Amino acid sequence: MRVKTPYIEALRKQQKDVVDTPKKCGELSKPLDRDLSPKKMSDSYYKVVLPLAQDPWLLDNYLNANGHIRLGTLFMDLDALSGIIAYKHTGESVTTVTAAVDRITINHPLKELCDLELSGQVTYATGRSSMEISLQVARVPENGSEVSKEDVLMTCAFTMVSLNPSTKKPTNIPSLQINTEDERRLYKLGENNYNAKKELSKTTLRKQTPNDQESDLIHAMWLKQLEYHDATTSVHKPDDVVYMDSTRLYSSQIMQPQYRNRHNFMIFGGFLLKATFELAFCCAASFSHSRPTFVSLDPSTFDNPVPVGSVLYLTATVAYTDPPLVDVYARSSDDHKESQFTRVQIRVDSKVRDIEHGHTKPTGQFNYTFLLEKSIKVMPRTYSEFMIWVDARRRVERVAAIMDDSEMARGSSHGSTRDGKRGITE
């Protein structure tokens, strides 16, 4: 179970603790007495089976209108599973929260409904406060055999952070004890992800201006925009070019206790994944007037917690399309040929306000990639939109490089979606 206490009991306890706070203030500085000796990867391993093919009422919770699996519901389960695995590694005396989703990738789409096995373990932990948890969703193999690569529907990695429950500050956790070559490979992948995130923080547009190539692309798009509005030419904006400001979709909802995490007063990360994914899907569908195919959730962060009772605001924007509208570095006329497919990146920005709307905090940015079976392109018009476009383009290039490195480390193309045709419809 994700939560252990009925909300009404937790609420009454919180109200009582507010009254008793003066008596407890001396406990806040008391250090945690915990065993921090290194642990094996297998110590945190956990799996759960969803008998979707056997239980039609359970299946009801996982199906969309077309009879396909609702990915947003699976994302909720994966976040809940990462919490279970994290606590197996850290113990129950700390507070563990989702800090980031490093990537969710479709490996082999389901061709029929079947039982699913969700499993994972901690694969990177240095002894500081954070850990990486690698997860997969796979078809349950027949006759108790091992899961094969072809059975794997989805792989992902979550970064979890442990906090002192009293001070809410990061606290150390056990490091990992590496025993086999396979564990060393997994640990190295986690280390590469960690270093990539550190590098990413150094190259954000708040710290690094557009480079020469990006500036040339911005200028080329601006010239194209002028051309569309020039009354002296016969050039008009094509129907398959859509301005970025017209792609935005918005949602707002009050956060109810039914979606709280195990600590009772904050919304759990899986709900945010589900809400942002479904808005991103709608944004891609509205943009293209077609049914998009999910390819991946690219590295995304949870910046601030979302309290129960607050109001969550989400904004989805088509940030980038590939092939792009212009490519000043195209090497030949073949590079300009129309593609049957378009990869579209949807950026979902989230913020939370208290119910009185006196305080606002950003809660995260989520970046979803979908595949469209048509040619369509997005065009930014303002400087802010150009920066969104450049940021998304950088992310696409970074993810491509990370995927290449990961595939080389795994020794196969398992998990690749760069052929542009692998994914899953929602």
Side-chain angles (χ1 to χ4, degrees), residues 8-25:
I8 189 63
E9 293 182 14
L11 185 61
R12 287 169 179 164
K13 183 178 184 302
Q14 184 193 53
Q15 292 167 344
K16 182 176 183 298
D17 287 347
V18 170
V19 175
D20 295 341
T21 295
K23 304 174 186 177
K24 297 184 176 182
C25 60

Side-chain angles (χ1 to χ4, degrees), residues 203 205 208-210 214 390-398:
T203 58
L205 285 165
Q208 189 180 91
T209 58
E214 291 164 346
V390 168
D391 180 65
R393 181 177 181 274
R394 287 182 179 182
R395 183 172 290 104
V396 167
E397 292 181 338
R398 280 193 301 267

Side-chain angles (χ1 to χ4, degrees), residues 35-304:
D35 179 14
L36 295 178
S37 55
K39 291 188 176 182
K40 296 183 289 185
M41 283 189 187
S42 57
D43 290 339
S44 62
Y45 179 80
Y46 192 84
K47 72 175 181 179
V48 61
V49 173
L50 299 175
L52 301 182
Q54 306 172 48
D55 188 341
W57 287 110
L58 177 64
L59 182 61
D60 244 25
N61 298 318
Y62 288 84
L63 282 187
N64 64 16
N66 288 341
H68 298 144
I69 295 296
R70 289 182 66 189
L71 292 179
T73 307
L74 276 183
F75 294 168
M76 291 177 70
D77 289 345
L78 288 170
D79 185 71
L81 178 62
S82 68
I84 293 171
I85 292 169
Y87 279 109
K88 288 193 72 177
H89 184 78
T90 64
E92 298 282 339
S93 60
V94 298
T95 296
T96 300
V97 297
T98 307
V101 184
D102 295 324
R103 189 165 174 80
I104 297 179
T105 305
I106 297 296
N107 296 23
H108 299 92
L110 288 178
K111 294 185 172 65
E112 60 184 2
L113 294 174
C114 60
D115 295 346
L116 295 178
E117 177 186 285
L118 283 62
S119 62
Q121 62 189 358
V122 175
T123 52
Y124 181 70
T126 62
R128 303 185 70 180
S129 61
S130 66
M131 72 199 95
E132 180 172 290
I133 296 173
S134 297
L135 305 163
Q136 72 175 25
V137 179
R139 176 195 302 270
V140 175
E142 296 180 0
N143 305 320
S145 56
E146 291 291 320
V147 172
S148 68
K149 288 183 178 180
E150 290 71 28
D151 289 328
V152 177
L153 163 67
M154 185 186 305
T155 55
C156 60
F158 282 71
T159 297
M160 312 293 284
V161 173
S162 291
L163 309 174
N164 183 306
S166 298
T167 64
K168 307 302 181 187
K169 293 182 178 180
T171 187
N172 290 347
I173 61 173
S175 60
L176 276 178
Q177 175 185 322
I178 308 302
N179 297 317
T180 68
E181 281 302 315
D182 192 48
E183 290 179 351
R184 190 167 287 106
R185 175 183 59 81
L186 291 171
Y187 190 89
K188 181 63 176 176
L189 286 174
E191 186 177 43
N192 291 344
N193 286 340
Y194 176 79
N195 291 332
K197 282 184 286 187
K198 287 179 67 176
E199 287 301 312
L200 175 61
S201 66
K202 300 176 184 177
T203 58
T204 65
L205 285 165
R206 289 179 179 272
K207 298 181 179 179
Q208 189 180 91
T209 58
N211 59 33
D212 290 344
Q213 185 182 36
E214 291 164 346
S215 297
D216 288 345
L217 288 168
I218 291 171
H219 187 255
M221 280 192 288
W222 177 72
L223 290 176
K224 182 74 71 173
Q225 207 178 116
L226 292 181
E227 192 177 357
Y228 292 157
H229 291 87
D230 189 346
T232 64
T233 71
S234 60
V235 177
H236 299 285
K237 182 176 75 66
D239 292 338
D240 65 349
V241 174
V242 181
Y243 289 123
M244 186 182 289
D245 58 357
S246 67
T247 69
R248 291 194 178 94
L249 288 184
Y250 303 89
S251 77
S252 59
Q253 54 187 315
I254 191 165
M255 296 292 96
Q256 303 292 359
Q258 287 76 19
Y259 296 108
R260 68 192 186 278
N261 62 18
R262 64 186 287 154
H263 308 295
N264 292 308
F265 300 105
M266 297 295 170
I267 299 300
F268 93 108
F271 176 80
L272 298 181
L273 287 177
K274 176 178 178 290
T276 56
F277 168 76
E278 292 183 350
L279 186 64
F281 179 89
C282 292
C283 182
S286 171
F287 167 66
S288 64
H289 297 279
S290 65
R291 190 172 192 87
T293 297
F294 172 72
V295 175
S296 65
L297 166 63
D298 299 327
S300 303
T301 57
F302 295 83
D303 296 330
N304 285 294

